Amino acid sequence: MKVVSAPPRLRLLGQFRLELGAEPVDLCRNTQRLVAFMALRGRVSRTVLAGTLWPEVTEGHARGSLRTTLWKLPRGEPSLIDCRGDVLVVTPDLRVDAHALARTALGVVQGGGPALRGLPRLELLTGEDLLPGWDEDWVLLERERLRQLRLHALDALAEALIRQGRPALAMEAAWAGVRAEPLRESAHRAVVAAHLAEGNIGEAMAHYEAFRRMLDEELGVEPSARFSRMLPGRPGDARGKAAPFTSTFAVSGSSPAARWTAKGTSAPG
């Protein structure tokens, strides 16, 4: 009877980890960089790959380093990377956690369909960043792309949960966004919206005021009129009535990370 081995798996969220046949494989740093770049891109020319991984040497030296690193790749079936002339291609069998995160987040952000009917488990949208401690430009760009995608998905997930009448889970999604980016207004709007969905106006107003103080201390600005209109009696609401919380989730841009330390408000334990 033919034994089917587990597909190769690559962890890029957190510390690099490659598993072949469910067993971890030790790789030197250059080989890790090669595998990580190829896993993120899927298909790359030798010229681009060599120039990206060894940008400070001549093209000939970079190509030589690439050949050496390819030779150090673990052998097996299927091979991790196939050489097709001047193009290198990652095996489609490789399971990459960063791709799973991107698929889940995109499904939530795009809305509708199975992604929001079933709703993903919250832990699929939380966790560590891409390869923390790696400072190459290509890593920094991909890390920020995934971070922004994750934040947008948490906003959308919180909104979807509120609409489904599940404010407690919505609060968890909202706080995950706050922890990831404490000055991100859309995440705090989601916290306030979850409070309002439960009728906890006092807690909603307390959270808003705590965020307003933090924003003033850190950036010297006020929350948006959209945020203030969510609450009754705020200056942004001329009628003294709260705006419907289900229409308050327009995504804001990213802001510098800071600790959420506003007095009187804390994340649920």
Side-chain angles (χ1 to χ4, degrees), residues 77-99:
E77 290 294 336
S79 59
L80 278 177
I81 298 175
D82 289 331
C83 300
R84 302 176 184 176
D86 193 51
V87 175
L88 301 176
V89 181
V90 172
T91 174
D93 293 331
L94 182 63
R95 303 292 183 262
V96 185
D97 60 354
H99 294 332

Side-chain angles (χ1 to χ4, degrees), residues 189-212:
R189 290 202 304 265
V191 173
V192 167
H195 281 310
L196 292 175
E198 294 183 301
N200 297 324
I201 297 177
E203 290 186 73
M205 295 186 73
H207 186 95
Y208 173 88
E209 289 299 333
F211 175 68
R212 185 188 63 78

Side-chain angles (χ1 to χ4, degrees), residues 161-175:
L161 287 165
I162 289 173
R163 288 174 173 168
Q164 290 188 1
R166 303 160 75 185
L169 289 177
M171 187 74 75
E172 286 296 312
W175 272 107

